[in-house]
Amino acid sequence: MIAVDKLTDAEAAAELARLAAEIAAADRAYYERDAPDLTDAEYDALRQRNAAIEAAFPLLVTADSPSRRLGAAPASGFAKLRHAVPMLSLDNAFAPEDFIEFCERVRRFLGLKDTPLAFAAEPKIDGLSINLTYENGVFIHGATRGDGSEGEDVTANLRTIADVPQQLRGDAPARIEIRGEVFMTKADFLALNAAQEAAGQKVFANPRNAAAGSLRQIDPAVTAGRRLSLFAYAMGQASERVASTHWAYLQRLKEWGFAVNGRNQLLASETDAAAFQAAMAAGRSALPYDIDGVVYKIDDLSLQERLGYVGREPRWAIAWKFPAEQATTVLQDIEIQIGRTGALTPVAILQSVNVGGVLVTRATLHNEDEIARKDTRIGDTVVVQRAGDVIPQIVTVLLDKRPADAVAYAFPTHCPACGSLAVRPPGEVVKRCTGGLTCPAQVEERLAHFVSRAAFDIDGLGAKTVHEFMQAGLLHSPLDIFKLTAADIAGREGWGDTSIANLLRAIESRRRIPLARFIFALGIRRIGEATAKLLAKHYGNFAIWRAQMREAVAIGSQARIDLSSITGIGPAIAEELGEFFAEPRNLTAVDALAGALSIDDYVGAAGPGEGQLAGKIVVFTGTLTTMSRPEAKALAERLGAKVLDSVSKRTDLVVVGADAGSKARKAAELGVKVVSEDEWRALAEAGQSTIAP
Ligand code: IVH
């Protein structure tokens, strides 16, 4: 690298342009795709070099210099668009057993014995899913998947894609949402990268990143210059029924003018899946686009409807992924990362290697025991693999390539960030820092979690900015975010009046927050997005939740029993919540936040069956003959009920099947309403008919 004071004007200008492109690309990878492609040190080095050159050549500072731009700016350039029906993700299968198990689950749920399950099989293209809305056959708008409930309005960019029909042919419903995958073919990806390289711009790591980066351009003219393709494959909201099987639906899509993947196939029975999977895996490299597996969807739409969803995944579809791709490289170093709950996670720093089209520089080493079990040493040659979107892993150490001077790795006994003792409770594999809120690494991780997309989702405040603000002493706790002022930020590198105003506006807009997001944002161990939602749904509002959690601190309390009997919670999560609320500092922090915010009560999705079972607590007992237990439970939940496993005086309804035992007796003792299976069916059908299409 040439020293800054030795650069000519022309060299400085050229380097600034290159730095701007690299920083912008790294920002996109980090903020928009949550997939940083540079280490923090590499990123900081780019920014420092940029700042140094700008300081020496002030006349070369451009209006859109990275030093004047906020990291997340490109992502916030789009308006949010809410999907009428949420966009889901898929459960994964990696082996034939996983697929067989999936089919067994489906059969159990539906109470089916030997009837073959017909599937639509579709190659799974690794692009990005989008939702297109048509009214009276006219394309109205389109959005990225986003968090599943709302995405970014990329309508103008979608209009530049030839595969997105502006007008549907034939008779389409008055209003319909169509979902599909936007992707780039291998040929278009290579051509784009060649052009980017020739222009001195950053090249994309893989077709998926190229498609995402191209679709999410602020200027539609840039998108128009990229060659993007679309295959349609799913349905969102529709004002009328358009087909009775998924396969027939795909044919309708073609009639309307969509491109549908010609390699999709209708399988008469699940026994045909393995052969299809093998054929696709074998033909994979010859396809014009990258695929990472096959999506299998139950063909019969009435069965799909009965199967419904768990969390964000349909019970009627599964993505069967191809085996992981592997490569060999050298382990250069082992770094310890501290998670938000204090877990010490060892990370392998690798000599950069191409694994199935993606450059890998880091891989997880899981934990202390894993390192010891494989006797992984710095300097070793290792086999790394990536499967789908999971973090790359080290599979084996090639012992015959071990350097003579390699020494066994000594796992730290103390937290490398704060020096506190790291402990490992008996029976656990994870070593944790005991520093709690005094450990800066933990505090930073918690803050980053707090502002992350599924939590407070504050535009312009990503992990990088959290780090910067913590270093500057502006942030110590989540509450500090809501105390930030323009004066605090002004004068900091990269922050102008506009970006400060944008950030403060984004923070202000999050003073109102749904209860589920609030709970998730607290970063309590084991409380993920889905669990936070369950809690919000069960308790309804912040005050009740808080009071119940305080009570649930006591093991054996009614509140603790209620908590652990919520479907999907269980004793381990209940214990975690109990521990969290037993810590006075946590309670103080929660209350301080609640005081500064307005936390919205839980509102269920579209409120189906309102009045029927909404908010009611239902318990099933005994054997049901006309529907399986999981289906009965899912149905009750769809009607707004909470299904618990044990009967208490708070239970509203007990559904008694054949051979019911103690629960039925207890219900009678407590005077809880008891109904038979027939009565339950009648009730459920009455409730269901009120569900909007
Ligand atoms: S169906 C409920 N079909 O895979 C159905 N997804 O892992 C949800 N994908 O977000 C999606 N090809 O981006 C579906 N034929 C296909 C697909 C497909 C690729 C992607 C899509 C989705 C992700 C879920």
Side-chain angles (χ1 to χ4, degrees):
M1 203 188 305
I2 309 174
V4 171
D5 56 2
K6 297 269 164 22
L7 287 171
T8 65
D9 278 10
E11 284 168 341
E15 196 177 344
L16 284 177
R18 179 181 63 78
L19 287 166
E22 280 187 22
I23 293 170
D27 283 342
R28 276 199 300 275
Y30 188 90
Y31 287 104
E32 300 178 28
R33 296 192 295 277
D34 291 328
D37 51 9
L38 296 181
T39 64
D40 288 1
E42 285 164 347
Y43 181 84
D44 290 342
L46 290 181
R47 283 207 166 255
Q48 275 157 15
R49 176 79 178 165
N50 188 74
I53 298 175
E54 286 190 347
F57 299 88
L59 291 176
L60 294 179
V61 180
T62 59
D64 62 352
S65 151
S67 61
R68 300 195 172 185
R69 205 159 24 85
L70 176 64
S76 54
F78 296 102
K80 294 264 159 87
L81 206 55
R82 184 156 276 279
H83 311 307
V85 169
M87 288 179 82
L88 304 159
S89 54
L90 293 171
D91 192 10
N92 292 322
F94 295 98
E97 303 82 73
D98 300 339
F99 182 76
I100 291 169
E101 205 183 295
F102 163 77
C103 293
E104 280 168 0
R105 269 201 308 275
V106 167
R107 286 178 179 285
R108 254 199 318 277
F109 188 96
L110 295 171
L112 290 178
K113 282 233 159 57
D114 307 316
T115 359
L117 293 173
F119 280 100
E122 306 172 352
K124 185 172 187 296
I125 298 180
D126 201 11
L128 72 159
S129 52
I130 43 117
N131 185 28
L132 307 168
T133 305
Y134 289 84
E135 274 174 19
N136 302 314
V138 178
F139 176 50
I140 299 297
H141 53 230
T144 59
R145 178 170 179 275
D147 64 3
S149 304
E150 56 177 27
E152 287 164 332
D153 183 344
V154 287
T155 309
N157 296 347
L158 287 166
R159 287 193 196 282
T160 71
I161 302 179
D163 289 344
V164 174
Q166 298 301 308
Q167 170 93 50
L168 301 184
R169 294 198 302 256
D171 57 332
R175 190 184 156 85
I176 188 163
E177 286 182 334
I178 311 261
R179 275 105 196 242
E181 199 83 353
V182 169
F183 64 97
M184 201 176 271
T185 64
K186 293 177 188 172
D188 290 336
F189 164 69
L190 291 175
L192 171 63
N193 264 358
Q196 291 283 108
E197 199 158 7
Q201 305 269 1
K202 164 133 191 186
V203 295
F204 293 99
N206 54 47
R208 201 210 88 86
N209 283 5
S214 300
L215 186 63
R216 300 169 83 244
Q217 288 287 334
I218 299 298
D219 180 0
V222 178
T223 309
R226 307 273 171 88
R227 295 181 60 98
L228 292 169
S229 307
L230 168 81
F231 277 141
Y233 55 58
M235 187 167 11
Q237 190 199 41
S239 56
E240 63 189 75
R241 219 177 200 325
V242 293
S244 60
T245 64
H246 183 71
W247 194 255
Y249 172 67
L250 293 177
Q251 312 319 308
R252 296 294 308 266
L253 284 174
K254 282 193 252 178
E255 287 164 30
W256 294 333
F258 286 99
V260 171
N261 195 336
R263 289 173 179 88
N264 293 348
Q265 199 164 307
L266 179 61
L267 308 179
S269 148
E270 68 251 49
T271 51
D272 297 340
F276 187 78
Q277 187 74 15
M280 290 315 293
R284 179 181 184 190
S285 57
L287 292 180
Y289 40 76
D290 276 343
I291 63 172
D292 59 352
V294 178
V295 182
Y296 294 89
K297 303 174 180 174
I298 293 277
D299 191 42
D300 184 329
L301 294 183
S302 63
L303 293 185
Q304 282 193 9
E305 224 161 88
R306 279 175 62 192
L307 285 158
Y309 307 88
V310 243
R312 294 189 167 278
E313 292 163 1
R315 285 196 194 83
W316 43 264
I318 192 152
W320 185 350
K321 298 286 191 72
F322 295 134
E325 312 206 54
Q326 299 188 336
T328 298
T329 188
V330 174
L331 174 65
Q332 294 177 325
D333 199 4
I334 295 179
E335 223 175 75
I336 300 288
Q337 263 178 10
I338 321 292
R340 63 166 211 272
T341 58
L344 268 57
T345 305
V347 178
I349 308 300
L350 304 168
Q351 197 173 74
S352 156
V353 62
N354 185 323
V355 190
V358 173
L359 275 191
V360 171
T361 53
R362 298 160 79 82
T364 178
L365 288 166
H366 301 288
N367 55 54
E368 189 173 8
D369 288 358
E370 265 308 296
I371 295 182
R373 196 176 63 78
K374 298 200 188 94
D375 186 22
T376 315
R377 301 182 182 192
I378 294 169
D380 273 343
T381 297
V382 294
V383 176
V384 277
Q385 76 169 26
R386 27 179 298 278
D389 14 318
V390 301
I391 311 167
Q393 304 170 318
I394 302 239
V395 198
T396 38
V397 174
L398 303 177
L399 290 176
D400 53 334
K401 299 223 169 114
R402 168 166 292 170
D405 57 351
V407 289
Y409 179 71
F411 202 88
T413 52
H414 289 75
C415 170
C418 69
S420 301
L421 189 68
V423 297
R424 207 177 132 178
E428 290 199 12
V429 289
V430 175
K431 211 171 210 178
R432 278 171 207 283
C433 159
T434 53
L437 291 173
T438 64
C439 172
Q442 280 191 53
V443 172
E444 183 171 331
E445 289 297 323
R446 282 189 211 193
L447 273 168
H449 172 81
F450 187 86
V451 299
S452 66
R453 189 137 102 171
F456 272 69
D457 189 22
I458 297 174
D459 268 346
L461 193 56
K464 277 240 144 70
T465 312
V466 163
H467 177 78
E468 181 198 329
F469 285 5
M470 270 193 72
Q471 294 291 309
L474 294 175
L475 290 184
H476 307 93
S477 72
L479 186 62
D480 291 343
I481 294 168
F482 295 95
K483 293 181 179 162
L484 280 173
T485 65
D488 291 337
I489 313 170
R492 304 196 58 77
E493 196 204 310
W495 290 90
D497 291 346
T498 318
S499 55
I500 295 176
N502 284 345
L503 175 62
L504 294 178
R505 202 171 322 114
I507 293 173
E508 244 357 84
S509 73
R510 289 302 186 185
R511 272 193 200 269
R512 265 193 82 165
I513 192 89
L515 178 59
R517 276 184 184 263
F518 178 82
I519 296 175
F520 173 69
L522 296 176
I524 303 167
R525 213 176 137 204
R526 292 185 216 267
I527 311 292
E529 232 184 308
T531 309
K533 216 170 225 170
L534 284 177
L535 290 167
K537 190 171 173 190
H538 187 83
Y539 295 100
N541 72 48
F542 173 74
I544 296 180
W545 180 64
R546 182 196 181 280
Q548 287 292 306
M549 293 306 100
R550 281 294 288 152
E551 228 185 287
V553 166
I555 300 163
S557 60
Q558 186 60 44
R560 172 71 77 98
I561 295 167
D562 282 352
L563 175 61
S564 24
S565 62
I566 301 172
T567 310
I569 300 273
I573 293 176
E575 189 181 330
E576 218 57 75
L577 282 160
E579 273 177 23
F580 181 86
F581 279 92
E583 167 60 54
R585 283 185 302 183
N586 288 337
L587 195 66
T588 311
V590 168
D591 287 345
L593 265 176
L597 303 172
S598 135
I599 304 171
D600 285 340
D601 294 354
Y602 179 83
V603 266
E610 216 86 278
Q612 270 291 350
L613 286 177
K616 297 271 195 287
I617 295 179
V618 177
V619 175
F620 290 96
T621 177
T623 313
L624 302 180
T625 54
T626 60
M627 64 177 86
S628 71
R629 183 69 78 82
E631 183 172 5
K633 190 163 145 192
L635 182 55
E637 283 171 352
R638 228 185 294 169
L639 295 170
K642 288 167 200 154
V643 179
L644 298 186
D645 287 332
S646 63
V647 177
S648 78
K649 56 182 190 298
R650 293 180 49 208
T651 310
D652 295 295
L653 184 69
V654 176
V655 181
V656 180
D659 304 321
S662 63
K663 287 184 200 173
R665 274 199 303 281
K666 185 152 183 209
E669 275 165 35
L670 293 171
V672 172
K673 184 171 174 191
V674 174
V675 296
S676 68
E677 180 173 355
D678 284 348
E679 288 168 312
W680 152 249
R681 276 201 78 93
L683 203 112
E685 270 154 31
Q688 260 203 321
S689 64
T690 67
I691 300 179

